[in-house]
């Protein structure tokens, strides 16, 4: 199965989305097809031995006036064409609407007594024995231009939906406007056909309906474009060219020409084009656009740099390590786009309703017509006009006021803006479900090393037989340099700092004992370095004088590692890993939100408790192996708590998977490889709080949107059907109905855009 995403141009409502999904999912070779209406994107898994892009495009276009496109450039081109056509039709419709607008103004002024209109027909002329009202004829001409030119897209969409044995928003608009136009045309050209009813026309209703819906789609398109500004701005961050060293000379190259291994020169104020490692020089780099951190980061030789960030001061050269889709920026864009393409659980109800919405509205319109035409007068309701015109008036209003678009836009637009805002802050939310569910978190479990602490421990003290410290450090480093664990790196770094060379030591049978330490042979001697569990497993003979020091180090928050040679303990290493500056503030913020904070670590209980006390964490689970962490998460969940786990995304993978929401701290530039539902690019704990706040705000906006969309339709459709007329003598005009429908969609998008103001 092949998994791809493509853009779709031409959708106008949530029913369009369901129609395309239905056509694709019913096609042979398609495993799963999901359409995001707000981002206009198709996510599809299909058998590429049965289908290719052209066949998929044919299926999509067969569902309606939709076009499947491969890349952003083609999508933008098609969107520009669609926008220009919409704009042209809106202008023509607006000009043709002028006579109707003047007529309505005149009628209002007449009612107010400002002017006196002549209420007799403006004139009749005889055509084949039929007296035709010139006033109606003029309206017919302008209304026809508006309906069949300005509203052409409604008919195309409705006919295509009918071919697919389905219906959409275009179906409602086409039915409503055509009903008003046909009735009015018959009154105009065949007045005797309705000789038993009052002669009246609804050309202005059809005209204003088309105008308002086109205007609504115009504003909706602009608003949706703003909703996806986050993705556009991420694309714009990428520099287009850079200075590359070629045979010792500086040459300006386009980004597409730069390859892995090229050395790029970066001066003050310049953007870093791609991901790499500094090989010469240093600089203070503003990474805020990618990580959300506002303070420039000092970097020197050996440090990683990220593409699309800005060098504020200093100059340096870096070797390119990643290009094109491998860069951090590309990974972020991909993750955000994928997140925007997923469905939040709260959207399922809206999608189900959207699927049956149009047929139900048509049924309500038919029932309304039947009631007002056949039964209203017989039960004593005084009609504002004759039965036929009243029934048509009400049925048209029902068809026009219904708005499935608002239901379809309610969740995805909020998700689009919410994930975009989060990405700007260095928080990558991988799917809409995680964005929605983060607000439910009742307990957050933090790993200690690298999450609550800096993750860069340093060797503070080495306790051993007098004069043997450097010898044991050299042997330890020979073994530990083969491990990537932070504690191993600390011991290796200490040896480097002391100027100790261990290259002459022969290491054999190296083995990593997960969660405990390392072992192996160094120059034929059995060496094991690790925690108490490792010492116990290998039945190491303890040195009481060393053991006496251990408790004191633990009480100071230091991690203690023992070293044994040939089964005898010879030294202990005390390492210290500072808590992160922002950790205490984050823990306090979570406490204020009523969220329980728990530390889960493999470190010694006393060391863990020291760090917990420093940060204000009440509950500590210590001396836990990586393989046991998931079990502890399960136990916390069994307490009835909705649990999030915050870890490094690699060692804590099982625990992250077991938790309700896994939050991975960003490690380097490989965020796409991180385990977890949410990735914190910069790896700072305060981003956990921000992620929860973004979730809360997004869910609040989604609920407001759905509340408005459901409330609008639940209230508007019955009012349009005339349920309040017997009590208040008020009927909803189809013109007002069309304006309300257009406003409904736009208001949902505008409400979602409020999320962009989150700080």
């Amino acid at each position: 199965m092949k998994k791809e995403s493509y853009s779709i141009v031409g959708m106008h409502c949530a029913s369009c989305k369901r129609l395309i999904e239905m056509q694709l999912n019913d096609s042979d070779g398609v495993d799963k097809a999901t359409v995001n209406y707000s981002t206009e994107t198709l996510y599809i898994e299909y058998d590429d031995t049965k289908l290719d892009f052209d066949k998929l495009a044919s299926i999509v276009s067969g569902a309606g006036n939709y076009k499947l496109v491969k890349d952003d450039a083609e999508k933008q081109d098609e969107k520009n064409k669609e926008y220009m056509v919409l704009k042209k039709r809106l202008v023509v419709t607006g000009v043709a609407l002028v006579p109707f607008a003047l007529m309505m103004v005149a009628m209002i002024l007449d009612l107010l007594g400002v002017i006196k209109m002549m209420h007799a027909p403006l004139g009749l002329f005889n055509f084949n024995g039929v007296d035709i009202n010139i006033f109606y004829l003029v309206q017919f001409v302008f209304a026809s231009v508006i309906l069949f030119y300005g509203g052409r897209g409604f008919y195309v969409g409705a006919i295509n939906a009918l071919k697919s044995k389905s219906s959409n928003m275009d179906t409602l608009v086409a039915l409503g406007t055509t009903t008003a136009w046909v009735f009015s045309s018959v009154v105009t050209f065949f007045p005797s056909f309705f000789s038993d009813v009052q002669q009246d026309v609804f050309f202005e209703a059809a005209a204003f309906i088309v105008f308002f819906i086109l205007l609504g789609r115009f504003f909706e398109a602009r608003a949706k474009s703003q909703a996806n500004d986050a993705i556009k701005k991420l694309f714009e961050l990428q520099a287009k060219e850079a200075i590359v060293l070629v045979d010792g000379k500086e040459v300006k190259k386009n980004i597409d020409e730069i390859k892995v291994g090229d050395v790029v020169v970066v001066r003050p104020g310049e953007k870093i084009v791609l991901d790499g490692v500094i090989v010469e020089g240093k600089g203070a780099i503003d990474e805020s656009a990618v990580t959300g951190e506002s303070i420039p980061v000092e970097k020197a030789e050996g440090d990683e740099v990220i593409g699309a960030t800005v060098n504020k001061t200093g100059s340096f050269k870096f070797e390119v390590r990643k290009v094109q889709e491998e860069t951090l920026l590309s990974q972020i864009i991909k993750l955000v786009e994928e997140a925007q393409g997923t469905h939040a659980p709260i959207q399922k109800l809206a999608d189900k309703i959207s699927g049956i919405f149009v047929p139900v509205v048509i049924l309500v319109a038919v029932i309304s017509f039947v009631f007002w035409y056949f039964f209203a007068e017989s039960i004593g309701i005084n009609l504002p006009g004759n039965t036929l015109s009243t029934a048509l008036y009400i049925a048209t209003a029902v068809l026009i006021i219904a708005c499935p678009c608002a239901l379809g836009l309610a969740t995805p637009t909020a998700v689009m803006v919410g994930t975009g805002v989060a990405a700007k802050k260095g928080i990558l939310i991988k799917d809409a479900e995680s964005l929605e569910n983060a607000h439910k978190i009742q307990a957050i479990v933090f790993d200690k090393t690298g999450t609550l602490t800096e993750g860069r421990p340093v060797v503070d003290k080495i306790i051993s037989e007098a004069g043997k410290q450097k010898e044991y450090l050299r042997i330890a480093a020979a073994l530990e340099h083969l491990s990537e664990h932070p504690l191993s790196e600390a011991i290796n770094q200490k040896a480097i700092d002391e100027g100790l060379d261990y290259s002459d030591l022969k290491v054999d049978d190296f083995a990593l004992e997960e969660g405990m330490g390392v072992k192996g042979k160094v120059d034929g001697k059995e060496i094991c370095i690790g925690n108490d569990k490792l010492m116990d497993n290998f039945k190491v003979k303890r040195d009481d004088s060393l053991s006496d020091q251990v408790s004191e180090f633990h009480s100071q928050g230091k991690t203690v590692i023992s070293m044994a040679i040939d089964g005898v303990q010879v030294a202990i290493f005390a390492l210290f890993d500072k808590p992160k500056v922002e950790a205490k503030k984050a823990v306090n913020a979570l406490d204020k939100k009523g969220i329980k904070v728990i530390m889960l670590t493999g470190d010694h209980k006393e060391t863990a408790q020291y760090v917990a006390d420093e940060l204000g964490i009440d509950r500590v689970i210590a001396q836990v192996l990586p393989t046991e962490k998931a079990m502890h998460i399960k136990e916390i969940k069994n307490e009835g708590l909705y649990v999030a786990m915050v870890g490094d995304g690699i060692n804590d993978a099982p625990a992250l998977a077991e938790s309700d929401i896994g939050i991975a701290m960003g490690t380097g530039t490989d965020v796409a490889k991180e385990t977890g539902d949410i990735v914190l690019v910069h790896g700072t704990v305060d981003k956990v709080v921000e992620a929860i706040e973004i979730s809360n705000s997004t869910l609040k906006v989604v609920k407001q949107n759905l509340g408005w969309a459901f409330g609008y339709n639940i209230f508007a459709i019955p009012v349009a059907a005339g349920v309040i007329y017997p009590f208040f003598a008020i009927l909803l005009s189809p013109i007002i109905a069309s304006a309300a429908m257009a406003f409904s969609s736009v208001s949902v998008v505008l409400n979602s855009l409020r999320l962009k103001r989150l700080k």
Side-chain angles (χ1 to χ4, degrees):
M1 284 289 172
K2 190 176 183 180
K3 190 175 181 180
E4 293 285 355
S5 62
Y6 302 109
S7 295
I8 299 176
V9 178
M11 292 190 294
H12 297 298
C13 70
S15 299
C16 296
K17 153 192 150 60
R18 289 189 63 85
L19 178 58
I20 295 169
E21 287 178 341
M22 183 179 69
Q23 289 289 96
L24 286 168
N25 285 316
D26 288 343
S27 301
D28 184 37
V30 175
D31 183 54
K32 183 182 179 183
T34 305
V35 175
N36 187 308
Y37 169 46
S38 61
T39 61
E40 300 175 316
T41 305
L42 165 68
Y43 299 88
I44 187 167
E45 295 179 37
Y46 64 96
D47 186 345
D48 56 353
T49 63
K50 294 182 179 180
L51 293 169
D52 56 18
F53 176 80
D54 292 335
K55 289 181 181 178
L56 291 173
S58 177
I59 295 170
V60 170
S61 60
N65 193 28
Y66 316 119
K67 185 169 183 178
L68 195 69
V69 295
K70 279 184 177 180
D71 54 55
D72 292 318
E74 187 181 359
K75 176 184 177 180
Q76 194 56 50
D77 186 51
E78 291 297 327
K79 289 292 292 180
N80 288 340
K81 289 178 184 176
E82 184 185 45
Y83 181 80
M84 292 309 296
V85 169
L86 177 60
K87 189 175 181 180
K88 185 177 179 182
R89 285 182 177 162
L90 184 61
V91 170
V92 172
T93 301
V95 172
L97 200 66
V98 171
F100 292 103
L102 293 174
M103 179 186 69
M104 293 182 71
V105 171
M107 290 174 63
I108 293 170
L109 293 175
D110 178 48
L111 288 171
L112 295 174
V114 177
I115 62 172
K116 191 69 177 175
M117 288 180 62
M118 182 174 64
H119 294 281
L122 292 180
L124 300 171
F125 75 93
N126 189 279
F127 181 76
N128 288 338
V130 178
D131 289 330
I132 296 177
N133 187 314
I134 295 176
F135 191 53
Y136 292 171
L137 182 63
V138 172
Q139 291 186 64
F140 167 80
V141 172
F142 283 100
S144 298
V145 170
I146 291 171
L147 193 60
F148 299 112
Y149 174 73
R152 179 179 178 276
F154 305 139
Y155 290 102
V156 172
I159 291 169
N160 286 326
L162 186 62
K163 288 178 182 177
S164 303
K165 298 178 182 178
S166 185
S167 55
N168 57 16
M169 187 68 206
D170 291 333
T171 307
L172 296 180
V173 177
L175 277 174
T177 54
T178 303
T179 300
W181 182 85
V182 169
F183 174 78
S184 302
S185 298
V186 171
V187 169
T188 299
F189 295 104
F190 307 100
S192 60
F193 189 84
F194 294 131
S195 57
D196 59 328
V197 301
Q198 176 185 345
Q199 301 292 298
D200 203 356
V201 293
F202 300 123
F203 284 125
E204 79 283 354
F208 274 98
I209 286 166
V210 171
F211 175 75
F212 279 126
I213 294 175
L214 286 177
L215 187 65
R217 287 187 177 178
F218 179 78
F219 285 129
E220 182 186 320
R222 294 188 65 175
K224 281 169 67 178
S225 176
Q226 291 179 45
N228 210 15
D229 273 351
I231 289 290
K232 293 177 186 173
K233 287 179 178 176
L234 285 173
F235 275 114
E236 290 168 3
L237 288 174
Q238 184 68 70
K240 300 297 185 288
E241 56 187 18
I243 302 296
V244 180
L245 286 180
V246 180
D247 297 328
K249 296 181 180 179
E250 296 185 358
V251 178
K252 184 176 286 188
K253 283 190 176 184
N254 188 284
I255 188 172
D256 297 329
E257 300 174 312
I258 301 174
K259 300 179 179 63
V260 172
D262 284 349
V263 175
V264 178
V265 179
V266 182
R267 298 185 177 89
E270 292 182 344
K271 272 190 178 181
I272 297 165
V273 286
L274 297 164
D275 296 358
V277 174
I278 295 176
V279 293
E280 183 183 320
K282 60 182 179 179
I285 300 172
D286 179 1
E287 297 181 339
S288 59
V290 177
T291 67
E293 292 298 317
S294 58
I295 301 173
V297 183
E298 296 286 345
K299 297 203 175 185
E301 188 175 331
D303 290 332
E304 291 182 337
V305 292
I306 302 169
T309 58
V310 180
N311 179 33
K312 303 296 284 185
T313 60
S315 60
F316 56 86
K317 298 171 185 175
F318 76 92
E319 182 182 312
V320 175
R321 296 288 176 87
K322 294 183 179 178
V323 295
Q324 298 174 345
E325 69 276 358
E326 296 177 346
T327 65
L328 176 61
L329 181 64
S330 296
Q331 291 179 51
I332 289 173
I333 291 171
K334 183 180 178 183
L335 286 173
V336 174
E337 286 179 330
E338 288 177 352
Q340 292 178 348
T342 59
H343 288 181
I346 200 170
Q347 190 178 345
K348 292 177 182 177
L349 177 62
D351 282 348
K352 285 180 182 178
I353 292 175
S354 296
I356 60 170
F357 187 88
V358 174
V360 167
V361 171
I362 293 172
L363 180 62
V364 171
V366 170
I367 292 172
S368 300
F369 178 87
V370 170
F371 172 80
W372 288 98
Y373 186 74
F374 292 105
F375 302 108
E377 283 191 317
S378 63
I379 61 173
I381 299 176
N382 294 319
L383 304 184
N386 60 72
T387 53
L388 180 59
S389 62
T390 300
L392 282 173
Y393 188 89
I394 290 172
T396 300
V398 170
L399 291 170
I400 297 303
I401 201 166
C403 187
C405 303
L407 285 172
L409 287 167
T411 302
T413 52
V415 169
M416 184 195 306
V417 179
T419 51
V421 167
K424 286 178 66 178
K425 293 176 175 287
I427 303 165
L428 302 184
I429 300 171
K430 290 191 175 181
D431 55 55
E433 184 173 358
S434 301
L435 178 63
E436 177 184 330
N437 289 339
H439 85 284
K440 297 193 288 189
I441 293 172
Q442 296 169 302
I444 293 186
V445 180
F446 286 98
D447 174 48
K448 181 178 77 71
T449 305
T451 302
L452 291 172
T453 63
E454 295 285 353
R456 294 190 295 272
V458 294
V459 176
D460 185 57
K461 284 189 179 180
I462 302 172
I463 307 297
S464 70
E465 182 183 343
K468 292 278 190 176
Q469 285 90 346
K470 287 192 177 182
E471 179 186 341
Y472 292 145
L473 176 60
R474 196 168 79 95
I475 295 171
L479 196 64
E480 293 281 19
H481 88 279
L482 297 173
S483 169
E484 294 181 354
H485 192 280
L487 298 180
S488 299
E489 291 178 357
I491 291 174
N492 188 48
Q493 186 60 48
K494 180 69 173 176
I496 293 171
D497 293 342
E498 294 284 343
L500 302 177
D501 182 12
Y502 50 77
S503 59
D504 59 318
L505 297 178
K506 185 183 177 184
V507 179
D508 297 305
D509 302 333
F510 172 82
L512 177 66
E513 301 293 326
E514 189 175 8
M516 294 185 287
V518 297
K519 73 179 187 67
K521 288 183 178 180
V522 178
D523 281 352
K525 295 179 180 179
E526 291 282 354
I527 309 294
C528 59
I529 308 170
N531 58 22
D532 288 344
K533 284 187 179 180
L534 185 69
M535 298 298 114
D536 292 340
N537 280 3
F538 288 96
K539 298 181 173 55
V540 169
K541 183 181 178 181
R542 303 296 181 92
D543 184 328
D544 292 338
S545 64
L546 295 176
S547 300
D548 292 341
Q549 298 282 330
V550 173
S551 295
E552 183 182 347
F553 286 140
H554 283 320
S555 66
Q556 295 169 1
K558 294 171 183 174
T559 300
V560 180
I561 294 175
S562 293
M563 176 179 174
I565 299 178
D566 291 334
V568 177
Q569 185 182 25
V570 296
I572 58 172
F573 298 83
L575 298 94
F576 185 66
D577 187 11
K578 291 190 301 182
K580 289 182 177 177
V581 175
E582 75 282 355
K584 187 170 186 177
K585 185 178 178 182
V587 170
N588 288 338
L590 293 170
D591 281 338
K592 288 179 181 178
K593 291 180 181 293
I595 297 173
K596 299 179 185 294
V597 180
I598 303 166
M599 181 194 291
L600 182 63
T601 179
D603 214 334
H604 193 277
K605 188 173 182 180
E606 287 182 71
T607 302
Q609 191 61 58
Y610 178 87
V611 175
D613 291 341
E614 284 283 304
L615 300 178
I617 298 173
D618 296 325
R619 184 172 173 184
V620 177
I621 305 172
Q623 293 177 272
V624 177
L625 292 174
T627 52
E628 298 172 341
K629 287 186 177 181
M631 177 190 70
H632 285 283
I633 294 293
K634 192 172 183 179
E635 289 174 356
I636 297 168
K637 287 169 64 178
N638 289 339
E639 296 173 19
L641 298 171
Y642 195 86
V643 181
M645 169 70 189
V646 185
D648 63 13
I650 301 169
N651 297 330
D652 299 311
L656 289 167
E658 179 62 43
S659 62
D660 294 301
I661 293 182
I663 303 175
M665 309 298 280
T667 54
T669 55
D670 284 321
V671 296
K673 296 179 183 177
E674 297 289 354
T675 312
D677 308 296
I678 298 172
V679 178
L680 310 180
V681 178
H682 194 261
T684 54
V685 186
D686 54 337
K687 295 295 179 183
V688 175
V689 181
E690 287 190 47
I692 294 171
E693 289 173 348
I694 290 171
S695 171
N696 290 338
S697 298
T698 302
L699 189 67
K700 183 179 179 181
V701 167
V702 167
K703 288 179 177 178
Q704 289 170 349
N705 286 350
L706 287 173
W708 164 256
F710 281 121
Y712 164 83
N713 284 294
I714 290 170
F715 173 78
I717 293 173
V719 170
V723 295
I724 65 171
Y725 180 79
F727 309 101
F728 303 103
I730 295 174
L731 278 182
L732 189 65
S733 163
I735 296 172
I736 296 174
S738 64
M741 189 276 286
F743 173 73
S744 179
S745 295
V746 176
S747 64
V748 164
V749 180
L750 292 177
N751 189 47
S752 297
L753 286 172
R754 292 192 305 111
L755 287 168
K756 294 174 77 173
R757 297 201 297 255
L758 285 176
K759 294 182 179 179

